[in-house]
């Protein structure tokens, strides 16, 4: 079993070329020097200071971090038009971007009144269910008319409706676990539930690339946190062995619990967790596994049930299964699935369940409608069609980008496709030039990524047709030639979309 999945498991993380790394550091260094000069000019009144700076109060320490303020003012501001773009349509295969201009180089923006209809390669609409028409939308509209939009109470007060019970039972059935609970916010599903699972005297072994919500939840728990190298099972086993043999610091008492925290698909790297290896180590060292499937539920596996489905594993081997409805389901909120005893404990102890207002009924209905389509409970094969289309699009798009000589991170089956840009000037230029040619993309730089690993991140969707993918590849080629982005020196990988049978 292990040899079969391992032989088909392909991920690529090509090292940054040395010359590119040097030029990237020089680029950031130049921006910092210019920023320092301009700050000096503002301090002496030579240049007008348009930023909202913190007043210097005698006897008070600065409230804001000076480097973050400096970075925002002098580096981020120069390319601020590449982020926070206002959208005036649903997050489908194409979106309407509201055009805006800046009369003062990024300090302020004004809308022109013009809308740009462009291809959407930035939203997490993996299965293409973010729609404003169709049967799912009709069912949501009916629920809105019946229940309204707001619940105005927590579940433990007057906010528990029959639609919430239906959603909980359906999620448990979909995941293949005994029970599940749902909460109205995806981020809070991690940050507010983890403190109810581990506490002081427990150990969390966290992948170094885990999401901010997992990091925050781990810190709020009071448990000791140790990170291990991303997807490095040798490093994870070494830390597990040390934890079991030596116990807690100073006292050497056994840990109350050891919790391994991982994600299904890492949204910035396009990487997939080596889950079979993680479960092997969990069983060997008697630890627990917390699996965050925010970007993999719906988007991975032959039945759309995440990385557990992708590897053909038993969901009962995962102690805590977490995921969100904000991506593949085109809705909002999140879930935790597991044993009945786990879910009953969270119902009485988790802050996200006790203190937050219950999920909006239309939001819950969107999840129910989409989940039934994926499971085939609507009597059609539309769910399987969307799942296969996304898998085909992922392989097709990734393969052709790597064949063209771009450095692409991640797994061959990950719908998150990072393309490395490196230099700060190329980050802004790539975003502007692709938008100008009819393609909306997300670019990511420091501090969200390491300094020399800035990138464009494409999110594929079942809503993308082959014609759209080909047009996107042509745009990337045009901009890639303009900015000279073909950095890869590796041989193109040997995988293909031909293994995936599409449904007409």
């Amino acid at each position: 079993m292990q040899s079969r999945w391992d032989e088909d498991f392909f991920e690529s993380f090509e090292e940054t070329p040395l010359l590119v790394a040097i030029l990237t550091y020089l680029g950031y260094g130049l921006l910092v020097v210019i920023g320092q000069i301009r700050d000096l000019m503002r301090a002496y009144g030579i240049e007008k200071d348009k930023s909202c700076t913190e007043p210097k109060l005698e006897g008070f320490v600065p409230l804001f971090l000076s480097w973050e303020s400096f970075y925002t003012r002098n580096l981020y501001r120069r390319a601020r038009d590449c982020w926070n773009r206002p959208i005036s349509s649903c997050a489908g295969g194409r979106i309407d971007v509201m055009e805006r201009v800046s009369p003062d180089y990024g300090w302020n923006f004004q809308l022109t009144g013009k809308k740009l209809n462009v291809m959407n390669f930035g939203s997490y609409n993996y299965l293409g269910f973010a729609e404003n028409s169709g049967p799912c939308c009709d069912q949501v509209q009916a629920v809105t008319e019946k229940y309204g939009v707001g619940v105005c109470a927590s579940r433990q007060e007057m906010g528990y409706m029959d639609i919430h019970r239906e959603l909980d039972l359906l999620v448990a059935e979909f995941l293949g676990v005994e029970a599940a609970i749902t909460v109205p916010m995806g981020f809070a599903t991690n940050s507010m539930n983890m403190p109810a699972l581990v506490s002081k005297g427990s150990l969390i072994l966290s992948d170094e690339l885990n999401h901010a919500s997992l990091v925050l939840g781990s810190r709020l728990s009071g448990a000791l946190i140790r990170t291990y190298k991303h997807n490095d099972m040798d490093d994870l086993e070494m830390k597990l062995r040390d934890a079991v043999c030596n116990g807690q610091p100073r006292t050497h008492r056994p840990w109350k619990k050891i919790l391994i925290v991982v994600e299904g698909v890492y949204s910035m790297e396009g990487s997939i967790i080596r889950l079979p290896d993680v479960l092997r180590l969990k069983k060997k060292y008697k630890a627990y596994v917390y699996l965050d499937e925010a970007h993999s539920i719906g988007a991975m596996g032959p039945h759309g049930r995440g990385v557990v489905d992708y590897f053909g594993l038993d969901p009962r081997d995962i102690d805590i299964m977490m995921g969100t409805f904000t991506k593949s389901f085109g809705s909002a909120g999140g879930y935790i699935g597991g044993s009945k005893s786990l879910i009953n404990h969270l119902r009485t102890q988790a802050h996200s369940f006790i203190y937050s207002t219950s999920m909006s009924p239309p939001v819950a209905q969107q999840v129910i409608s989409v989940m039934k389509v994926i499971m085939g409970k609507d009597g059609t094969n539309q769910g399987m069609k969307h799942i296969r289309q996304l898998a085909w699009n992922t392989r097709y798009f990734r393969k052709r980008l790597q064949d063209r000589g771009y450095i692409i991170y991640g797994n061959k089956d990950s719908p998150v496709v990072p393309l490395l840009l490196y230099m700060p000037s190329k980050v802004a230029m790539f975003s502007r030039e692709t938008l100008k040619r009819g393609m909306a993309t997300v670019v990511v730089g420091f501090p969200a990524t390491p300094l020399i690993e800035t990138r464009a991140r494409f999110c594929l969707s079942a809503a993308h047709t082959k014609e759209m993918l080909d047009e996107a590849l042509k745009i990337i080629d045009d901009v890639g030639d303009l900015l000279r982005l073909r950095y890869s020196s590796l041989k193109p990988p040997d995988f293909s979309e031909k293994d995936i049978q599409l449904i007409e």
Side-chain angles (χ1 to χ4, degrees), residues 12-289:
S12 175
F13 292 97
E14 187 173 346
E15 288 188 9
T16 304
L18 179 60
L19 178 60
V20 174
I22 294 171
L23 292 175
T24 301
Y25 280 124
L26 288 174
Y28 276 106
L30 182 61
L31 287 172
V32 170
V33 170
I34 293 173
Q36 294 286 3
I37 294 172
R38 297 190 70 173
D39 269 1
L40 188 64
M41 293 171 64
R42 292 170 190 137
Y44 284 96
I46 301 173
E47 180 181 333
K48 184 179 179 182
D49 191 354
K50 297 181 181 180
S51 61
C52 180
T53 56
E54 183 180 2
K56 295 180 180 178
L57 303 175
E58 186 177 351
F60 286 82
V61 297
L63 183 62
F64 306 139
L65 297 178
S66 58
W67 166 247
E68 290 184 2
S69 301
F70 174 86
Y71 185 89
T72 302
R73 184 169 60 251
N74 293 299
L75 280 74
Y76 170 73
R77 190 262 312 164
R78 300 167 71 97
R80 199 155 65 95
D81 60 298
C82 300
W83 294 276
N84 306 311
R85 287 175 176 145
I87 310 299
S88 60
S89 65
C90 70
R94 300 189 71 89
I95 55 174
D96 291 329
V97 178
M98 301 173 69
E99 186 182 61
R100 55 182 182 163
V101 295
S102 176
D104 50 7
Y105 305 101
W107 290 107
N108 297 283
F109 289 95
Q110 298 172 353
L111 294 174
T112 65
K114 182 180 177 182
K115 295 180 182 179
L116 309 174
N117 184 257
V118 296
M119 293 184 296
N120 179 13
F121 277 80
S123 298
Y124 301 135
N125 181 27
Y126 296 131
L127 290 181
F129 285 110
E131 303 170 314
N132 54 6
S133 62
C136 293
C137 183
D138 294 339
Q139 292 168 24
V140 170
Q141 181 179 344
V143 165
T144 305
E145 293 172 354
K146 178 180 179 181
Y147 293 97
V149 174
V151 177
C152 304
S154 70
R155 283 204 182 193
Q156 293 194 350
E157 295 170 338
M158 301 290 289
Y160 186 43
M161 297 181 174
D162 55 351
I163 196 168
H164 297 128
R165 173 177 166 77
E166 180 184 359
L167 177 60
D168 290 351
L169 294 174
L170 186 63
V171 169
E173 181 185 352
F174 181 69
L175 297 175
V177 295
E178 290 182 0
I181 61 167
T182 54
V183 294
M185 182 182 178
F187 191 97
T189 310
N190 280 329
S191 60
M192 294 291 102
N193 282 305
M194 291 185 73
L197 298 171
V198 288
S199 59
K200 186 177 180 180
S202 299
L203 173 66
I204 293 177
L205 293 176
S206 178
D207 190 293
E208 64 180 348
L209 297 181
N210 277 343
H211 189 260
S213 60
L214 291 169
V215 174
L216 178 59
S218 299
R219 289 174 177 172
L220 291 175
S221 71
L224 184 69
I225 306 166
R226 288 177 181 162
T227 60
Y228 66 91
K229 296 176 184 177
H230 173 60
N231 251 354
D232 188 331
M233 296 301 112
D234 292 334
D235 190 35
L236 175 58
E237 183 166 17
M238 182 182 69
K239 288 182 167 60
L240 275 168
R241 188 187 302 115
D242 178 72
V244 171
C245 294
N246 296 320
Q248 300 183 40
R250 295 190 301 275
T251 65
H252 299 291
R253 292 176 181 171
W255 294 99
K256 292 179 180 178
K257 300 173 191 172
I258 298 177
L259 184 67
I260 304 170
V261 181
V262 295
E263 292 187 50
V265 171
Y266 290 83
S267 61
M268 204 58 73
E269 317 297 322
S271 176
I272 295 176
I273 184 65
R274 300 178 69 93
L275 192 57
D277 281 343
V278 172
L279 293 183
R280 174 178 57 82
L281 294 176
K282 155 205 153 61
K283 294 174 181 178
K284 181 177 180 180
Y285 293 96
K286 304 298 185 289
Y288 295 96
V289 169

Side-chain angles (χ1 to χ4, degrees), residues 419-437:
L419 184 152
L420 276 292
L421 304 173
Y422 299 113
M423 301 174 199
S425 57
K426 293 188 178 184
V427 173
M429 197 69 172
F430 187 88
S431 178
R432 292 164 183 162
E433 290 296 322
T434 51
L435 184 66
K436 187 188 301 182
R437 289 165 170 78

Side-chain angles (χ1 to χ4, degrees), residues 5-13 270 272 274 310 398 402 408 410-414 490-495:
W5 78 260
D6 206 23
E7 290 171 2
D8 191 48
F9 191 85
F10 172 82
E11 292 197 343
S12 175
F13 292 97
I272 295 176
R274 300 178 69 93
Y310 178 76
R398 275 186 171 274
Q402 292 184 302
I408 304 296
N411 192 284
K412 72 179 190 300
D413 289 319
S414 168
L490 298 181
K491 180 182 177 182
D494 183 23
F495 64 83

Side-chain angles (χ1 to χ4, degrees), residues 126-127 174-175 264-265 292-300 304-307 309 321-329 335 371 374:
Y126 296 131
L127 290 181
F174 181 69
L175 297 175
V265 171
D292 178 342
E293 293 226 67
H295 287 268
S296 52
I297 193 68
M300 297 294 301
R305 293 174 182 173
V307 291
D309 184 31
M321 299 183 69
M322 175 270 170
T324 64
F325 305 126
T326 55
K327 284 83 177 175
S328 297
F329 300 93
Y335 67 82
M371 198 167 281
I374 296 174

Side-chain angles (χ1 to χ4, degrees), residues 300-420:
M300 297 294 301
H303 307 97
R305 293 174 182 173
V307 291
V308 179
D309 184 31
Y310 178 76
F311 288 111
L313 302 171
D314 187 346
R316 290 172 294 183
D317 287 337
I318 315 296
D319 302 289
I320 304 108
M321 299 183 69
M322 175 270 170
T324 64
F325 305 126
T326 55
K327 284 83 177 175
S328 297
F329 300 93
S331 188
Y335 67 82
I336 285 187
S339 64
K340 286 184 179 179
S341 58
L342 167 72
I343 301 307
N344 288 336
H345 169 75
L346 291 176
R347 283 197 174 104
T348 59
Q349 302 296 324
H351 290 75
S352 65
F353 201 77
I354 300 171
Y355 299 110
S356 66
T357 301
S358 295
M359 187 182 293
S360 171
V363 171
Q365 182 58 49
Q366 169 72 9
V367 180
I368 292 171
S369 299
V370 171
M371 198 167 281
K372 286 183 176 179
V373 173
I374 296 174
M375 297 170 73
K377 287 178 173 287
D378 64 333
T380 72
N381 63 354
Q382 284 300 309
M384 190 59 64
K385 181 178 179 181
H386 284 239
I387 292 168
R388 296 269 184 90
Q389 187 67 59
L390 174 63
W392 191 94
N393 288 353
T394 297
R395 291 267 188 101
Y396 181 84
F397 193 71
R398 275 186 171 274
K399 174 65 174 171
R400 274 137 193 85
L401 283 178
Q402 292 184 302
D403 286 348
R404 285 163 163 78
Y406 301 107
I407 294 182
I408 304 296
Y409 276 3
N411 192 284
K412 72 179 190 300
D413 289 319
S414 168
V416 180
V417 184
L419 184 152
L420 276 292

